[in-house]
Amino acid sequence: MNTLEAAERAASHGGPGALALVTRERSLMLRFAASRPTQSTAVDDVTVELAVPLRGNVGRASTNAIDERSLADCAARARLAAEAAEATHDGDFPGFGPDYDLPAHHGFDAATAELDPAPGGAALADAFVVAEAHGLEAHGIWTPAEEERAFATSEGGGALDRTTNAFMKVICIAPSGRSGYASQASVAAADLVPAELAERAALKAAASGDPVELPPGEYPVVFEPQAVGWLLDLLGETALNGLAHAEGRGALDGRLRQQVAAPAINLSDSPGYGRTLPRAFDAEGTRKAPVPLIQDGVAYGVVHDIRSATSAGAVSTGHALAPGGTPGGPHPTNLVLAGGGAADEGELCSVVERGIYVTRLWYANVVRPKETLITAVTRDGTFLIEDGRVTRPLRDLRLTDSVLGILSRARALTREQKLTSDGEFYGRRFAYGVVCPALRADAVRFTGAAA
């Protein structure tokens, strides 16, 4: 039974209005540490999510088995969940209305779908050679995948989407414990350049000089794209989430059509953009389409699934993470921040008298969503900028600031954009990323050394 057939069979068990989403993941994962392979896995997994609407409520259940008995059991559990919800409260879910006129996209690479492990072995070998040349250890992962997603309704009709994705990260660690990070994500595994990634990570880990400790305060900061991507993903949670916006909890509540960031900030959710990891439809079968979010610093919109759109009196923008929505609401998964005029990070640094260079952020948490206030620590390559150039390593710092505040203080961006992704994939694979440039911002607040 193929993926679309499994979705059709599952939906047929769900009763009137039911929608089934079936995801098949085929992936490889090679992990390495201390310049040695440590783990290799191959996944071939099918997940069925069945959503059953019942008088304004939705019950949902899932299974990893696609035989008839398992699908029938899944449907029974989804109906029980819908009945339990109906017994406790009135719902306003209007039902599913999936799209069948779906956009073509660039998200499938046939060579990556073959899941050949040989390029992975070569990638690790390249990283190890570079690390050894610098007297460092290499740690990280290399992973490609093919994903199939299909939806179907109990009334008939459905669609299938095939995508591929690949990711590699390299963390080089010096005997002193100092570390450097680099990563790359793409639709195609052949786009990954392991030796280049390892060299970028190694140069940070091998930087000379004892780490400097800066006191708490506000400093100009040059963020590499990986750090910018984290900030924008957190903005998706706190400001661009349509459910939070509809309930008055979102940071853009009452601020649409107002200036919320610097004029240089142009942010959209653009699934058709050439460097993203696209999908044709979301978890409710709604087609993916571009959504302007911040234009010239002015807030223009948020993203919706069916539930949040109903609450807001809007329409779904194709951002459901599960059929019927999730408690956390929708999330933008193809964020694109337009580039600026700077040639590279060096040019961003050139006007900074004394500031901080940040490779990436870690342990990020939202403190006050309404203000987009977050806290995070710098990691794997934090440096002091003096008189326009990167000079010495810094001890990692805790950043505590508003994402919108940082974007409002953005002064320059690089022309080049990169697809950034976290790419850990500890649970069910859901590959997405943020396309963004490096960015310089004035007066970013740091509240002390990282613990």
Side-chain angles (χ1 to χ4, degrees), residues 99-171:
D99 296 308
Y100 301 106
D101 180 19
L102 297 169
H105 60 64
H106 63 277
F108 181 80
D109 177 69
T112 301
E114 293 178 4
L115 298 184
D116 182 1
L124 270 59
D126 288 349
F128 299 162
V129 168
V130 172
E132 183 179 8
H134 288 274
L136 310 171
E137 293 180 344
H139 306 246
I141 61 174
W142 175 91
T143 175
E146 177 194 20
E147 295 178 274
E148 291 185 350
R149 282 171 296 276
F151 74 83
T153 66
S154 53
E155 283 73 32
L160 172 69
D161 190 27
R162 296 178 70 195
T163 59
T164 55
N165 57 81
F167 176 80
M168 185 174 186
K169 74 171 181 180
V170 181
I171 300 173

Side-chain angles (χ1 to χ4, degrees), residues 32-312:
F32 54 98
S35 296
R36 300 175 64 181
T38 56
Q39 183 186 46
S40 60
T41 59
V43 172
D44 190 342
D45 177 68
V46 176
T47 301
V48 178
E49 296 176 86
L50 184 60
V52 176
L54 183 62
R55 289 183 283 279
N57 293 289
V58 180
R60 191 169 65 241
S62 63
T63 180
N64 294 101
I66 56 174
D67 60 276
E68 290 298 324
R69 181 174 178 178
S70 297
L71 294 177
D73 175 70
C74 182
R77 288 186 286 114
R79 281 194 297 273
L80 284 173
E83 290 166 359
E86 183 197 24
T88 58
H89 64 278
D90 295 329
D92 60 359
F93 189 79
F96 297 106
D99 296 308
Y100 301 106
D101 180 19
L102 297 169
H105 60 64
H106 63 277
F108 181 80
D109 177 69
T112 301
E114 293 178 4
L115 298 184
D116 182 1
L124 270 59
D126 288 349
F128 299 162
V129 168
V130 172
E132 183 179 8
H134 288 274
L136 310 171
E137 293 180 344
H139 306 246
I141 61 174
W142 175 91
T143 175
E146 177 194 20
E147 295 178 274
E148 291 185 350
R149 282 171 296 276
F151 74 83
T153 66
S154 53
E155 283 73 32
L160 172 69
D161 190 27
R162 296 178 70 195
T163 59
T164 55
N165 57 81
F167 176 80
M168 185 174 186
K169 74 171 181 180
V170 181
I171 300 173
C172 285
I173 300 180
S176 65
R178 191 176 305 154
S179 59
Y181 174 95
S183 67
Q184 188 178 6
S186 179
V187 164
D191 291 342
L192 305 182
V193 188
E196 181 180 308
L197 292 176
E199 185 69 21
R200 283 167 45 203
L203 289 175
K204 293 174 181 178
S208 61
D210 294 329
V212 180
E213 187 164 335
L214 283 184
E218 294 185 344
Y219 299 91
V221 175
V222 171
F223 293 101
E224 282 196 6
Q226 189 69 25
V228 177
W230 269 64
L231 292 173
L232 296 177
D233 197 48
L234 289 166
L235 187 70
E237 177 182 343
T238 56
L240 308 176
N241 178 328
L243 181 63
H245 187 79
E247 294 176 347
R249 300 180 287 108
L252 297 184
D253 177 45
R255 302 184 70 184
L256 293 181
R257 301 300 187 271
Q258 295 181 15
Q259 196 83 27
V260 297
I265 300 302
N266 287 279
L267 181 67
S268 62
D269 193 82
S270 299
Y273 191 75
R275 296 184 181 179
T276 59
L277 299 176
R279 294 176 176 83
F281 52 81
D282 71 357
E284 295 174 326
T286 304
R287 67 175 288 149
K288 305 287 279 184
V291 181
L293 299 168
I294 299 176
Q295 299 288 299
D296 299 326
V298 175
Y300 269 87
V302 297
V303 301
H304 285 293
D305 56 18
I306 292 175
R307 185 180 297 279
S308 70
T310 301
S311 297

